[in-house]
Amino acid sequence: MRRRISAFAVTAAMAGGVLFTALPAHAATTTTGGHAAVARGAIQVNIGELRQQSADLKSKAERLDQEGEHAAANRARAEANAIDQKIQAYLDAENNV
């Protein structure tokens, strides 16, 4: 009896997942608040805020280096570089590069 119930539960969960992923793109909801909004295929990103986050992380990395926390400084630099790469990708996409 337990095997039947668990098999039924797994089957129902899989069917629900298939139905969820099979929704057409126009049926998805769009968000209008926050920093990124999706509407009709366009993404709006606040580049200035991302640049500020990157600058903050770079200054934090410098401070951590001065304090001798080199591993934490490297993590902060890696995060800043990831944000810089995102910024560049957004700008490239905007310019159709």
Side-chain angles (χ1 to χ4, degrees), residues 4-75:
R4 286 188 205 158
I5 292 174
S6 62
F8 177 73
V10 169
T11 304
M14 289 175 56
V18 169
L19 291 176
F20 179 72
T21 58
L23 289 175
H26 60 80
T29 59
T30 59
T31 60
T32 57
H35 299 290
V38 178
R40 295 187 185 151
I43 298 175
Q44 298 175 352
V45 177
N46 190 344
I47 299 291
E49 184 176 318
L50 288 175
R51 285 189 174 141
Q52 183 62 43
Q53 287 176 356
S54 175
D56 290 344
L57 284 169
K58 288 175 184 175
S59 65
K60 179 182 176 181
E62 289 298 319
R63 182 180 51 82
L64 288 170
D65 258 342
Q66 291 174 358
E67 293 174 359
E69 297 289 333
H70 301 295
N74 289 338
R75 285 192 299 272

